[in-house]
C-alpha cells in the first residue's frame, strides 16, 4: 500500500518560474526522500530529509518536512526546461529503513 | 565508474515463457531491490535482498522469482504465472538502512 501521495499529479509552468510539489504520508517516519525520473529512465535521488530536520537545501531545490501534518514539499526555484521530469517522494516501510514505498509522482513540465 | 546495469533494455515475452532480467551493481551495496512501474504510476516493490543468499517478498511478488548468489547480482525471473507482465522494471541498490537508493535505467518488458 502506498504511504506517500504527491500533489498535484501534474504541473505545467514556464521556464524561470518556481515549482512546488507536495507529499503527504500516513504513518510516522524517520526520514523522507525525494527522487526524480526522466522519461524512460531510472530514478535519481535528490534529497533525504530526516524527521528532526524541518528544511533542507540542495542547489535550486528546497525540501521541507512537517511531521505534525505528515507532509513534505519540494520546491524547485528558477525552473529550467531540463527540470521536466516526474518527481516522487518515498518513505520507509514501517520505519524498517531497508524498504521504501513510493507515491504516484508529480509530472512536471517546464516550457521554454 | 560505479553504478547499476540492467539488461536488456527491451525484452519481449511469448505466452508461457519465463524471462530473466539482469541487474548488476559495482557499488558494493548490500541491499538490492526490484520494482515494477506501470505507465503513469509510482513504483511497487517486487522483491528485495538485504544480503547474499537472502531475499524477501515485496507487495507484488506473485509470478516473480529472484536469486542472490553474489553481492553484485540480483536477477529477476518473470514466470509464466505472471499474467500481466507488461511494465517497466527497475532495479536499485542501497548501502544500508535509511540510505538513498541508486537505480538502473530499467528494462521494458512487453508481451508478443
Amino acid at each position: 500500500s502506498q504511504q506517500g501521495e504527491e500533489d498535484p499529479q501534474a504541473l505545467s509552468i514556464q521556464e524561470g518560474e518556481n515549482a512546488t510539489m507536495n507529499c503527504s504520508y500516513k504513518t510516522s517516519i524517520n526520514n523522507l526522500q525525494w527522487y526524480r525520473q526522466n522519461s524512460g529512465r531510472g530514478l535519481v535521488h535528490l534529497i533525504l530529509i530526516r524527521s528532526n530536520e524541518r528544511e533542507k537545501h540542495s542547489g535550486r531545490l528546497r525540501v521541507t518536512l512537517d511531521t505534525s501534518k505528515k507532509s513534505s514539499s519540494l520546491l524547485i526555484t528558477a525552473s529550467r526546461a531540463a527540470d521536466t521530469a516526474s518527481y516522487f517522494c518515498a518513505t520507509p516501510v514501517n520505519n524498517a529503513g531497508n524498504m521504501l514505498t513510493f507515491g504516484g509522482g508529480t509530472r512536471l513540465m517546464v516550457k521554454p | 565508474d560505479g553504478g547499476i546495469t540492467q539488461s536488456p533494455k527491451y525484452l519481449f515475452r511469448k505466452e508461457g515463457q519465463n524471462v530473466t532480467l539482469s541487474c548488476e551493481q559495482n557499488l558494493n551495496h548490500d541491499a538490492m531491490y526490484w520494482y515494477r512501474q506501470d505507465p503513469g504510476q509510482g513504483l511497487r516493490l517486487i522483491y528485495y535482498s538485504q544480503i547474499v543468499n537472502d531475499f524477501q517478498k515485496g507487495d507484488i511478488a506473485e509470478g516473480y522469482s529472484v536469486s542472490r548468489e553474489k553481492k553484485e547480482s540480483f536477477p529477476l525471473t518473470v514466470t509464466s504465472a505472471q499474467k500481466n507482465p507488461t511494465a517497466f522494471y527497475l532495479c536499485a541498490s542501497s548501502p544500508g538502512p535509511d540510505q538513498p537508493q541508486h537505480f538502473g535505467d530499467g528494462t521494458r518488458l512487453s508481451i508478443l
Side-chain angles (χ1 to χ4, degrees):
Chain A
S1 60
Q2 287 188 330
Q3 156 85 301
E5 291 295 336
E6 289 89 345
D7 170 63
Q9 290 187 332
L11 182 60
S12 181
I13 59 174
Q14 293 293 137
E15 211 166 25
E17 294 180 339
N18 295 344
T20 300
M21 289 157 264
N22 302 296
C23 171
S24 59
Y25 57 92
K26 297 172 184 170
T27 62
S28 295
I29 57 172
N30 57 13
N31 72 83
L32 184 144
Q33 302 181 36
W34 284 92
Y35 289 81
R36 163 195 169 127
Q37 183 182 33
N38 287 75
S39 181
R41 304 293 299 273
L43 277 69
V44 174
H45 179 259
L46 296 176
I47 288 183
L48 183 152
I49 186 166
R50 301 198 184 276
S51 58
N52 61 353
E53 298 174 306
R54 290 296 168 260
E55 189 170 306
K56 205 162 182 179
H57 295 253
S58 176
R60 292 183 296 112
L61 306 181
R62 185 184 79 146
V63 167
T64 62
L65 179 63
D66 187 335
T67 54
S68 66
K69 294 181 179 177
K70 291 187 171 58
S71 69
S72 174
S73 68
L74 169 66
L75 168 68
I76 304 174
T77 60
S79 63
R80 304 166 182 169
D83 293 328
T84 294
S86 291
Y87 293 82
F88 297 90
C89 67
T91 52
V93 175
N94 298 327
N95 273 336
N98 274 316
M99 286 197 296
L100 294 176
T101 182
F102 289 81
T106 292
R107 280 160 286 287
L108 173 66
M109 174 172 290
V110 181
K111 301 176 196 173
Chain B
D1 211 8
I4 298 185
T5 302
Q6 290 188 241
S7 62
K9 193 168 177 66
Y10 300 96
L11 187 58
F12 298 91
R13 196 191 88 169
K14 294 180 182 177
E15 201 72 41
Q17 185 182 43
N18 293 352
V19 291
T20 297
L21 285 60
S22 170
C23 178
E24 303 279 330
Q25 56 105 353
N26 60 4
L27 299 166
N28 200 34
H29 288 171
D30 285 318
M32 295 188 75
Y33 310 83
W34 274 106
Y35 295 94
R36 171 180 170 138
Q37 186 178 33
D38 291 285
Q41 304 293 316
L43 279 63
R44 291 185 291 168
L45 182 66
I46 305 172
Y47 269 99
Y48 75 102
S49 168
Q50 296 187 45
I51 199 167
V52 174
N53 292 324
D54 180 66
F55 47 84
Q56 310 291 330
K57 292 182 179 180
D59 296 325
I60 54 166
E62 188 174 346
Y64 300 97
S65 66
V66 293
S67 63
R68 186 90 187 272
E69 296 176 4
K70 298 187 300 181
K71 188 175 186 177
E72 301 79 22
S73 179
F74 191 39
L76 173 75
T77 296
V78 184
T79 75
S80 57
Q82 173 48 249
K83 297 306 179 189
N84 183 23
T86 298
F88 189 50
Y89 290 88
L90 287 161
C91 179
S93 71
S94 77
D98 297 326
Q99 296 294 316
Q101 293 187 10
H102 298 249
F103 284 80
D105 267 342
T107 293
R108 192 166 299 279
L109 176 62
S110 303
I111 294 288
L112 274 180

